Amino acid sequence: MPPVAIDLNADLAESFGHWELGDDEALLPLVTSANVACGFHAGDPRVIRRACAGAARHGVAIGAQVSYRDLAGFGRRFIDVPPAELTDDVLYQLAAVDGLARVEGAAVRYVKPHGALYNAIVHHEEQAAAVVAAVRAYDPGLAVLGLPGSAWLRLAAEAGLRSVPEAFADRAYTPEATLVSRRLPGAVLHDADAIAERALRLARGEEIAASDGSPLRLDAASLCVHGDTPGAVAIARAVRERLGAGGVTVRAFTG
């Protein structure tokens, strides 16, 4: 088997004020890319700056995890935002995180939508185009991360952006290669060993089982492990160790 390399990303900066979620400091040594919340679904200026500083210290690529303006719903509720307004919302978030990253000697390298926005722009052409427009307007050199086969990645590629497909090691997939809704049982996986084995299969381009048991093959240059689930650090550590033991090099897709 030829050498295999893959990126490992996780969501960071999802605390807000006195409300703490995730363990950014423990996750940063394990991942190669950090999806930093931008304040619209989670994160406040102090939390965001601290995550950017930690990412810079560990040599982890920083991505802006843009979302709907939905703090109360953690960005997991679809919002029918007019395209021009969504473009401005994404620009605002990008500028905020990039500014805080630059203060820490780093910069935003890619964009990954969060939650309901991520899922919406798999098929929602207008909203996907609005997010693409924001990225192009801010910095056409930024990469974008998303679901393989999504309108988001297709439109981004057509606009000249570098489009990077990802897979979720800790989420269940439908037979159509979309994510199972979090409202359904079994949508989020919790067994660290099973997730680690699944991550290795994904990295190697091998089949995994969809939610109905049918075989599914996903094209991915990056793997995501969520930072907000119980046992997230143990899961990320198990994934990193299994990838290494399986001969997979873990490195940021941004280079």
Side-chain angles (χ1 to χ4, degrees):
M1 180 180 293
V4 177
I6 199 156
D7 175 58
L8 185 61
N9 76 78
D11 303 344
L12 273 71
E14 291 189 320
S15 297
F16 190 89
H18 292 294
W19 182 65
E20 294 187 4
L21 183 66
D23 189 342
D24 292 359
E25 285 301 313
L27 278 172
L28 279 166
L30 301 171
V31 301
T32 48
S33 294
N35 316 315
V36 177
C38 303
F40 271 30
H41 80 277
D44 59 39
R46 181 170 177 270
V47 168
I48 294 168
R49 182 177 178 183
R50 189 167 59 213
C52 290
R57 189 167 61 250
H58 288 280
V60 172
I62 296 172
Q65 190 165 41
V66 300
S67 74
Y68 292 127
R69 195 181 311 200
D70 182 27
L71 272 176
F74 199 64
R76 288 181 175 157
R77 301 180 294 192
F78 172 75
I79 300 177
D80 190 12
V81 187
E85 184 178 332
L86 182 57
T87 295
D88 290 344
D89 280 354
V90 171
L91 277 169
Y92 183 95
Q93 294 175 79
L94 263 171
V97 174
D98 192 40
L100 290 169
R102 289 178 184 276
V103 167
E104 298 301 333
V108 166
R109 306 286 300 281
Y110 68 95
V111 177
K112 175 183 173 177
H114 165 82
L117 180 59
Y118 185 101
N119 290 323
I121 61 179
V122 170
H123 301 296
H124 198 303
E125 298 274 337
E126 280 193 336
Q127 289 201 352
V131 181
V132 168
V135 178
R136 273 192 54 81
Y138 188 78
D139 182 354
L142 294 176
V144 300
L145 194 60
L147 200 72
S150 62
W152 157 240
L153 289 192
R154 173 175 53 79
L155 292 174
E158 290 173 1
L161 301 175
R162 181 186 175 197
S163 300
V164 181
E166 73 167 336
F168 291 81
D170 56 1
R171 289 292 309 275
Y173 280 86
T174 69
E176 294 75 35
T178 58
L179 296 174
V180 172
S181 170
R182 283 180 175 267
R183 296 181 180 180
L184 299 176
V188 181
L189 310 181
H190 297 282
D191 185 301
D193 286 337
I195 293 170
E197 180 59 30
R198 185 182 180 91
L200 182 60
R201 294 186 65 82
L202 287 165
R204 289 175 170 172
E206 299 171 355
E207 292 177 345
I208 61 169
S211 56
D212 66 351
S214 61
L216 182 66
R217 193 184 302 274
L218 299 168
D219 173 33
S222 182
L223 295 177
C224 179
V225 289
H226 282 86
D228 63 333
T229 53
V233 175
I235 289 170
R237 184 176 294 112
V239 168
R240 186 70 186 253
E241 291 174 354
R242 186 67 58 88
L243 291 173
V248 177
T249 300
V250 180
R251 64 180 179 223
F253 67 84
T254 50

